[in-house]
Amino acid sequence: MKYLQLLKLLKGLSSYQLMGNSAKDITAIANHTGNIVPGSLFICVPGLKVDGHDYASQAIDKGAAALVVERDIDVDCTKILVRDARQAQALLSHAFHGYPSREVEVIGVTGTNGKTTTTFFIESILNQFGQNAGRIGTINCRYGNLIFPSKHTTPDSINLNKLLSEMVKSGTKAVVMEVSSHGLAQNRVIACDFDVGIISNVTHDHFDFHRNYQSYLESKALLFEYLGRDREAKSRLKFAVANADDASYDFIVSKAAVPVLSYSIYGPSDIRASNIELKSNGSSFEIKVGGKKYKFFLKLPGLFNIYNALSAIAYAWGRNYQFEGVQSALAEVQRVPGRCQRVDEGQDFEVIVDFAHNPDGLKNILTFAPKIPETKRIIVFGCEGGKDKTKRQIMGYIAGMLADFTIVTMDNLYSEEPLEVVQQIEKGLLEAGRREGLDYIIILDRAEAIKEAIAMADSGDQVIIAGKGHETTQTIYKQVKPLCDWEIAAGAIQMKLRNSLKNSKIYYLASLQLQQDC
Ligand SMILES: CC(=O)N[C@H]1[C@@H](OP(=O)(O)OP(=O)(O)OC[C@H]2O[C@@H](n3ccc(=O)[nH]c3=O)[C@H](O)[C@@H]2O)O[C@H](CO)[C@@H](O)[C@@H]1O[C@H](C)C(=O)N[C@@H](C)C(=O)N[C@H](CCC(=O)O)C(=O)O
Ligand SMILES: Nc1ncnc2c1ncn2[C@@H]1O[C@H](COP(=O)(O)OP(=O)(O)OP(=O)(O)O)[C@@H](O)[C@H]1O
């Protein structure tokens, strides 16, 4: 079993007060009583729901050897008093696992939308250049031949450092990871030695947690403040990559402790796309750097994916990777699960499943490719119950303005009444001048809503199913039931195709012939 002397481990902290016996061997670090093994160092985290200090006695009963606390508590155990338990947790777990983020290149990607897609692009570039990439993010984590689902976009610091150390041991040379604003605000990555920080954009989301745009932006900017701060850090050149077209740009640049490479489509920047061609099955664009022009092809459609590619290209430029290799690495990314993912069962209308779950994402997916004149664009979406309420009306308005027909449905619900969520979306639809029954309907059951959209679609139409992307379950209060937008849509299309075949003249004649033969 792995263990480390408590005193040695405490070298990872810059300030603390030790109370009790320090001659202890620590076998693991845990912040949940359910994960304690004998000899654990238990971190008492004052959480949003409960206070970890209230679990201290339980932790000792389960075999905790010492506690990290933010205030002295009356228990008979070695205690380490710190100012911020989550920060201490990050520093101690980094030390416990041998400072793994110093052993690999770490590229952090933050932003409201585009993190997952950007990490897929960068992973492809890293592999192209023999870096044996590791990837950490919302959909899953991957390194070597291992791939496993994620609980969080950015794991808590205990799991993050464990994962990083496994990646290091497996020979990973570079790790690209999504860094969520929750992860930054909760100090999950404060001990991580980032080499590169990338930001896609900062728009409206998670205001339930961050309260407002400024505090959300400040959380995102922490990634750029961290860059270059680790005193023991690697000697590799550190830099930041930022979107010069985004409202966050000036603030991010003001916070970055390292040089910033910029990318854009509209304004001036280091890496700027021109001659853009958008098609529903991909796009192409050009970049001029060092007096040379490079043409890039993407299989992922939409202008927003050009932005995601540009940030990956800026990263590659900062690392001096040959652009010929970058061109093929980006062209090789076939799809990102649940992101602008086509459902193709041979039907003559387009069906897209997408993870858009905030105003900007919804706007982007509703405009990702031009609509054929005289056809309809149908959107199916809902908003999560119990999360950011302020975005619902805005999303309803966007759907009302950009779609021809909207089916409002349920997303994950957690704690709220479904009708409460739906009515707030409806306010936005009404604001956009839409009428119930004619321009929108409400079908709470998500599977039924998707089936209805498929049933309504005519030749050339676009059906967009937004909000749950790659997810395969739906949470309604405490019940988690299987639900996959993609599978439901595919099943509904197959059924529609079978029915239309049954109604067709050829099918009728063929079955008549069959009856006669019998
Ligand atoms: C809002 C949020 O981020 N909450 C996180 C936070 O929970 P919390 O502060 O409420 O913790 P708590 O439940 O009050 O518990 C306090 C302490 O007591 C401990 N405890 C609690 C109960 C018990 O029986 N025993 C015990 O030891 C807990 O482990 C914890 O250390 O700290 C917990 C432990 O680290 C996280 O698991 C939890 O993530 C929750 C599950 C979550 O859903 N987070 C989401 C919002 C999130 O982080 N999302 C971002 C992506 C967002 C996006 O871009 O879409 C992500 O990075 O995944
Ligand atoms: N650069 C971008 N700008 C705006 N919208 C985008 C961008 N990239 C992707 N999107 C939209 O956001 C959705 C989520 O994309 P992606 O998963 O790459 O972002 P994310 O930041 O990882 O989101 P999350 O953390 O919530 O998983 C996509 O399905 C698409 O609708």
Side-chain angles (χ1 to χ4, degrees):
M1 185 191 271
K2 179 184 167 76
Y3 71 88
L4 214 73
Q5 286 168 341
L6 181 58
L7 266 183
K8 198 167 173 202
L9 189 57
L10 291 176
K11 290 204 175 108
L13 292 182
S14 50
S15 72
Y16 62 90
Q17 188 187 331
L18 178 67
M19 295 182 285
N21 176 11
S22 64
K24 301 258 173 158
D25 286 335
I26 298 300
T27 56
I29 299 182
N31 67 0
H32 194 282
T33 36
N35 299 333
I36 290 181
V37 293
S40 293
L41 175 62
F42 180 67
I43 318 279
C44 299
V45 176
L48 300 172
K49 290 200 284 291
V50 295
D51 186 349
H53 294 77
D54 297 339
Y55 292 86
S57 302
Q58 217 184 94
I60 297 163
D61 290 346
K62 289 190 162 195
L67 308 174
V68 170
V69 292
E70 284 191 7
R71 58 187 155 80
D72 194 7
I73 46 174
D74 186 16
V75 287
D76 183 19
C77 187
T78 299
K79 288 167 276 183
I80 297 114
L81 184 66
V82 297
R83 198 184 43 82
D84 182 334
R86 287 191 204 267
Q87 176 176 0
Q89 175 183 299
L91 294 163
L92 291 166
S93 45
H94 197 219
F96 185 77
H97 288 287
Y99 306 95
S101 71
R102 292 181 187 159
E103 304 298 318
V104 281
E105 176 179 6
V106 186
I107 303 137
V109 181
T110 196
T112 306
N113 290 309
K115 298 183 292 297
T116 304
T117 311
T118 303
T119 58
F120 274 66
F121 280 140
I122 293 179
E123 179 187 36
S124 184
I125 293 173
L126 292 170
N127 285 332
Q128 176 81 25
F129 290 92
Q131 293 302 298
N132 211 2
R135 177 175 47 72
I136 299 174
T138 311
I139 302 181
N140 51 37
C141 299
R142 200 199 62 74
Y143 65 95
N145 295 324
L146 293 176
I147 184 154
F148 42 92
S150 318
K151 189 168 162 242
H152 280 113
T153 295
T154 305
D156 81 13
S157 53
I158 298 174
N159 291 311
L160 173 64
N161 285 298
K162 187 165 178 280
L163 180 56
L164 287 174
S165 75
E166 282 159 9
M167 287 181 170
V168 170
K169 277 184 218 142
S170 80
T172 300
K173 291 193 192 138
V175 177
V176 58
M177 65 181 282
E178 292 184 51
V179 187
S180 66
S181 54
H182 291 77
L184 286 158
Q186 290 178 348
N187 284 338
R188 293 180 206 165
V189 293
I190 196 165
C192 193
D193 177 20
F194 288 102
D195 295 281
V196 181
I198 299 179
I199 187 154
S200 52
N201 45 62
V202 185
T203 60
H204 184 144
D205 211 354
H206 306 305
F207 286 5
D208 53 324
F209 183 79
H210 296 284
R211 297 185 316 282
N212 55 44
Y213 182 84
Q214 187 57 30
S215 98
Y216 180 41
L217 178 62
E218 279 166 17
S219 294
K220 294 275 183 208
L222 285 173
L223 175 63
F224 300 87
E225 293 174 40
Y226 293 163
L227 279 171
R229 219 181 42 175
D230 191 334
R231 274 171 286 134
E232 309 288 329
K234 302 149 255 188
S235 54
R236 191 180 284 120
L237 170 76
K238 300 198 174 208
F239 60 94
V241 172
N243 179 353
D245 285 345
D246 193 65
S248 63
Y249 182 72
D250 290 339
F251 188 74
I252 295 299
V253 172
S254 76
K255 294 288 176 183
V258 290
V260 180
L261 282 178
S262 58
Y263 62 93
S264 68
I265 291 176
Y266 299 109
S269 68
D270 300 310
I271 301 290
R272 185 176 180 180
S274 59
N275 294 332
I276 292 175
E277 278 184 56
L278 294 173
K279 293 197 187 131
S280 77
N281 60 352
S283 50
S284 65
F285 58 95
E286 275 177 10
I287 282 180
K288 206 172 153 193
V289 279
K292 269 181 93 176
K293 258 191 195 164
Y294 297 88
K295 185 152 186 162
F296 287 84
F297 294 91
L298 301 179
K299 294 198 179 79
L300 309 186
L303 195 71
F304 55 91
N305 277 321
I306 297 188
Y307 275 106
N308 297 333
L310 287 173
S311 68
I313 295 167
Y315 160 72
W317 174 246
R319 279 279 170 260
N320 281 323
Y321 286 141
Q322 290 297 311
F323 267 22
E324 287 75 13
V326 178
Q327 283 166 317
S328 53
L330 296 187
E332 266 164 30
V333 180
Q334 306 275 348
R335 68 180 187 103
V336 179
R339 273 68 180 164
C340 209
Q341 189 178 347
R342 197 162 267 105
V343 189
D344 189 357
E345 299 293 320
Q347 77 277 15
D348 60 359
F349 53 92
E350 194 163 36
V351 178
I352 302 285
V353 168
D354 188 74
F355 197 44
H357 54 277
N358 50 43
D360 198 44
L362 196 66
K363 188 184 88 205
N364 285 321
I365 197 63
L366 281 166
T367 50
F368 89 97
K371 193 175 70 122
I372 306 166
E374 312 296 320
T375 62
K376 303 186 289 299
R377 183 179 280 145
I378 304 164
I379 175 95
V380 182
F381 83 105
C383 288
E384 285 195 318
K387 300 264 176 87
D388 191 346
K389 296 183 182 182
T390 60
K391 66 182 176 186
R392 296 174 188 162
Q393 184 171 344
I394 307 172
M395 289 173 73
Y397 181 78
I398 290 170
M401 295 306 285
L402 296 175
D404 299 294
F405 196 84
T406 302
I407 305 185
V408 185
T409 188
M410 278 198 294
D411 200 293
N412 295 319
L413 209 54
Y414 305 116
S415 53
E416 255 179 298
E417 277 299 309
L419 278 178
E420 219 174 282
V421 182
V422 159
Q423 276 162 6
Q424 286 168 15
I425 298 173
E426 198 178 7
K427 271 191 195 164
L429 283 158
L430 295 170
E431 192 189 343
R434 296 311 199 150
R435 296 149 303 167
E436 186 171 8
L438 287 175
D439 306 312
Y440 74 89
I441 50 174
I442 297 167
I443 304 178
L444 290 182
D445 183 307
R446 193 171 176 97
E448 291 308 316
I450 294 172
K451 288 177 194 163
E452 183 60 29
I454 302 292
M456 283 175 68
D458 293 312
S459 177
D461 285 355
Q462 251 179 28
V463 176
I464 293 168
I465 304 160
K468 292 189 62 63
H470 63 288
E471 292 175 1
T472 52
T473 58
Q474 184 180 30
T475 306
I476 308 282
Y477 303 118
K478 285 201 167 137
Q479 198 199 346
V480 181
K481 60 170 191 171
L483 185 137
C484 168
D485 285 358
W486 194 94
E487 273 176 25
I488 293 163
I493 299 167
Q494 286 163 12
M495 176 77 86
K496 184 171 174 138
L497 291 176
R498 276 200 298 275
N499 287 342
S500 72
L501 188 66
K502 273 189 194 159
N503 294 335
S504 73
K505 205 172 165 189
I506 296 169
Y507 182 87
Y508 176 72
L509 292 175
S511 57
L512 212 63
Q513 183 66 49
L514 201 68
Q515 278 170 21
Q516 281 171 6
D517 292 348
C518 293

